[in-house]
Amino acid sequence: MNIHIHNKLNNQVIKYIFPLKLCSLRITRLCCCCCCFFFGEYPSLLLHSPAMEFESLQRRRSSSVSANQNNASIREKRPKRSEVIAKNKTIEELIKTARAEKDHLAPFPDFRRFHVNGLSVCLKSGHGNKLSSPVKHYIQSLLKLNMEGPYGSEWPEEEKVKRKEMVLPEAHYVFVHEVANSNADEMTTVLTAAETSTCLEDSGPLVGFVQYRFVLEEEIPVLYVYELQLEPRVQGKGVGKFLMQLVELMAQKSRMSAVMLTVQKANVLAMDFYINKLRYIISAMSPSRVNPMMQLEKSYEILCKAFNDEAKTILEDREDELDQLDKDGSSY
């Protein structure tokens, strides 16, 4: 059958089968397909009836309504702008108040002293912009002694950074002084008196220190431990654990949501101490978790211990959070 005759037959089919009211339908093209229309030898006609178009329109409307409902649900979950502003203001006040505190040891008199395994130490507070020259020299010397090895070739540059950080006004300190065992009780009395809380440096030699700050990490208020350094002769006696317990108490007293710190991967003993003994975890902010491909490039890990669900979600469980966001996003 030639094309001319075929088209004439198609026209006849349209003329006799479809009612007059459908003649207004615009037929742009008649094409052949595998199945037949009424007559086994005639190709099917690709036409859309009003009912079919109505069904299609209903499906589109239904899909649109569903998408709008999902979008509305997501908008409801998002906090209002006024709530975000109020929350940020509260966090800023927390950080400001914590930084202004003169002595974070004051609420914890029992932590002014520590006596174990033949070692007695007393603690005192300090600030980066009020360090004496001898204390500055001690900090620099102990940092080099403990950290030059783990940092390796990076140490010269890192040492310059640490020298600047140590004297900033936002740097807070807990200094560890060794005292004679016979004077431990007497020293406790002196240190817990409010007017003499600034223990004299000649009361005993320095054997270590903690440097910490109150900062924002991913909009979460945290106490960040910049340094925990002890002389080798007092390591392994429980002083480090005692100091970290104190740090966590100070963080919670100041209403911080977590404690964070950075550890060199090469410092195997420190990694074991924080992760296995103190139960810190590698933070979602750490390079190895942000981008596993960076794991070999970066020489450090960021560790954290969160105190509430929000901090736990953002600082510890970021992968779970992102997975949930992906699920939410794929639902519409």
Side-chain angles (χ1 to χ4, degrees):
M1 183 184 297
N2 60 41
I3 295 175
H4 177 70
I5 296 174
H6 182 77
N7 287 341
K8 288 182 67 178
L9 287 172
N10 280 337
N11 289 336
Q12 290 298 319
V13 170
I14 294 170
K15 179 178 178 180
Y16 288 106
I17 293 178
F18 292 96
L20 182 61
K21 62 180 180 180
L22 298 184
C23 289
S24 59
L25 291 175
R26 184 180 178 185
I27 304 172
T28 58
R29 184 180 179 185
L30 296 172
C31 57
C32 300
C33 63
C34 295
C35 51
C36 295
F37 176 75
F38 282 96
F39 308 101
E41 57 181 323
Y42 297 120
S44 63
L45 304 176
L46 303 180
L47 299 175
H48 295 279
S49 70
M52 293 172 63
E53 291 190 0
F54 179 75
E55 277 186 28
S56 178
L57 179 60
Q58 286 293 90
R59 284 196 298 270
R60 289 198 298 271
R61 285 178 177 173
S62 176
S63 177
S64 177
V65 169
S66 177
N68 290 336
Q69 288 176 344
N70 287 330
N71 289 335
S73 176
I74 292 171
R75 282 195 295 271
E76 288 176 2
K77 292 179 182 178
R78 292 174 181 169
K80 297 179 180 178
R81 184 171 181 272
S82 58
E83 294 175 348
V84 173
I85 292 174
K87 180 181 177 181
N88 290 341
K89 186 175 181 180
T90 300
I91 292 174
E92 288 174 4
E93 287 299 319
L94 286 178
I95 296 291
K96 184 178 179 180
T97 301
R99 288 175 176 174
E101 181 65 46
K102 292 182 178 180
D103 184 7
H104 291 105
L105 285 171
F108 311 104
D110 291 343
F111 279 81
R112 291 280 187 180
R113 59 173 174 79
F114 180 70
H115 177 71
V116 69
N117 298 330
L119 174 69
S120 293
V121 299
C122 67
L123 309 181
K124 59 165 285 189
S125 296
H127 293 83
N129 58 346
K130 296 181 180 179
L131 301 178
S132 66
S133 294
V135 171
K136 289 179 185 177
H137 179 73
Y138 175 83
I139 291 173
Q140 292 172 4
S141 299
L142 186 56
L143 280 170
K144 184 173 183 178
L145 176 67
N146 287 346
M147 302 309 298
E148 187 174 18
Y151 274 101
S153 60
E154 298 177 6
W155 175 247
E157 288 300 319
E158 190 63 31
E159 186 177 28
K160 295 177 184 178
V161 173
K162 290 183 179 296
R163 286 188 177 185
K164 293 178 181 178
E165 291 176 342
M166 61 181 275
V167 296
L168 294 176
E170 59 266 30
H172 295 264
Y173 285 87
V174 172
F175 290 109
V176 185
H177 292 262
E178 185 178 19
V179 296
N181 291 340
S182 59
N183 296 328
D185 293 336
E186 180 183 353
M187 186 58 62
T188 300
T189 303
V190 172
L191 290 171
T192 55
E195 65 274 13
T196 58
S197 60
T198 54
C199 142
L200 296 175
E201 290 181 13
D202 60 359
S203 63
L206 276 169
V207 292
F209 67 90
V210 180
Q211 184 202 143
Y212 61 95
R213 301 187 193 184
F214 298 96
V215 299
L216 280 178
E217 294 290 348
E218 300 292 322
E219 303 304 318
I220 299 294
V222 306
L223 185 155
Y224 207 110
V225 179
Y226 273 59
E227 304 289 349
L228 194 167
Q229 302 294 339
L230 295 171
E231 293 185 16
R233 66 187 181 87
V234 299
Q235 293 178 14
K237 297 186 177 183
V239 181
K241 184 177 181 180
F242 177 78
L243 290 172
M244 287 304 298
Q245 289 174 340
L246 172 61
V247 163
E248 291 172 16
L249 288 173
M250 292 192 300
Q252 294 180 72
K253 179 68 176 178
S254 300
R255 297 173 62 190
M256 298 295 107
S257 296
V259 171
M260 301 186 71
L261 50 94
T262 303
V263 183
Q264 290 297 114
K265 293 179 182 178
N267 196 343
V268 179
L269 292 178
M271 290 289 288
D272 177 71
F273 171 70
Y274 289 113
I275 293 176
N276 296 324
K277 294 183 179 179
L278 300 185
R279 299 302 178 186
Y280 278 70
I281 73 166
I282 297 176
S283 171
M285 296 171 54
S286 196
S288 65
R289 289 189 62 185
V290 172
N291 183 359
M293 298 299 293
M294 295 174 59
Q295 190 166 356
L296 299 177
E297 299 177 14
K298 300 298 181 180
S299 61
Y300 63 89
E301 294 283 11
I302 298 174
L303 309 183
C304 69
K305 180 181 285 188
F307 304 132
N308 58 49
D309 291 339
E310 182 183 18
K312 194 178 291 289
T313 297
I314 294 176
L315 301 178
E316 295 183 358
D317 304 327
R318 177 61 58 82
E319 290 178 0
D320 295 339
E321 179 191 18
L322 293 177
D323 288 343
Q324 185 60 44
L325 287 174
D326 288 341
K327 290 178 182 177
D328 294 340
S330 62
S331 63
Y332 61 91

